[in-house]
Amino acid sequence: MKLITKLPLLALFAFLSFSCTTDSLDDKADAIELSLTTPETKTIEVEILELINNHRLSMGLTALSDMTVVKSVAFTHTDYMVDNNEVSHANFYKRSDYLKAKAGAIRVSENVAYGYSSAESVVRAWLKSDGHRANIEGDYTNFDLAAEQNAEGKWYYTNIFIKK
């Protein structure tokens, strides 16, 4: 076959190889409405929130207030990342829609991370990234965070920001 006739076949193969089903992802996201839990706050979470607010204050921005429902949604996603052994923003729009409906958010963003072993290291990494820093320094009113370790002791983080 000529290359030109192979291209559509290769494209179809690539699409099928890299696409994924949304059934399992949607099931997990739908569970947000049914079983939100708020785990006990960890020291590393408090440290991260304090570092973010200290950074905001140093920039002349207002400090953000934590919010239980935001922490619960962040925990659900962090737990999803640990269970799937991947860092992702999967189902972000479902989390955003949920927070708009249940927390009165008009805007939602999130930062995720994996593998950083201290509050300082994860916040430093976020601040070095333009997109993550924009969320940290953005026009938001509330935020919260969930940090969980996998079986090997590696940390996963979800930090959600909302504007009410």
Side-chain angles (χ1 to χ4, degrees):
M1 266 195 282
K2 291 183 176 182
L3 181 60
I4 194 79
T5 57
K6 290 182 184 177
L7 284 177
L9 191 57
L10 287 172
L12 178 62
F13 176 74
F15 175 76
L16 293 175
S17 297
F18 297 108
S19 65
C20 62
T21 181
T22 58
D23 291 347
S24 63
L25 299 178
D26 287 343
D27 289 346
K28 182 70 172 184
D30 288 342
I32 288 174
E33 293 190 60
L34 301 175
S35 61
L36 276 183
T37 59
T38 307
E40 194 170 317
T41 302
K42 297 172 186 66
T43 302
I44 195 167
E45 294 169 336
V46 171
E47 291 171 352
I48 291 168
L49 296 176
E50 286 176 355
L51 287 167
I52 289 172
N53 267 338
N54 289 342
H55 175 78
R56 288 179 60 84
L57 292 170
S58 76
M59 303 290 297
L61 302 168
T62 60
L64 302 176
S65 299
D66 59 348
M67 193 172 196
T68 303
V69 68
V70 175
K71 180 172 186 58
S72 298
V73 173
F75 172 72
T76 300
H77 184 60
T78 302
D79 192 44
Y80 167 85
M81 291 191 301
V82 169
D83 287 349
N84 290 282
N85 198 31
E86 68 176 3
V87 179
S88 75
H89 291 284
N91 299 303
F92 169 75
Y93 292 105
K94 286 192 176 194
R95 288 188 295 287
S96 176
D97 289 345
Y98 183 85
L99 289 168
K100 288 174 180 174
K102 303 295 184 185
I106 57 173
R107 188 173 56 224
V108 179
S109 69
E110 73 180 16
N111 290 344
V112 296
Y114 163 78
Y116 296 95
S117 59
S118 70
E120 294 82 7
S121 63
V122 71
V123 172
R124 188 172 35 250
W126 281 334
L127 289 173
K128 286 182 180 179
S129 161
D130 291 340
H132 295 102
R133 186 176 60 253
N135 289 340
I136 289 171
E137 297 174 356
D139 182 22
Y140 297 102
T141 55
N142 301 85
F143 71 154
D144 222 312
L145 173 97
E148 295 296 322
Q149 289 179 293
N150 67 8
E152 292 78 39
K154 298 287 185 183
W155 287 97
Y156 286 79
Y157 305 91
T158 303
N159 185 196
I160 298 178
F161 302 84
I162 70 168
K163 179 176 176 80
K164 290 180 73 168

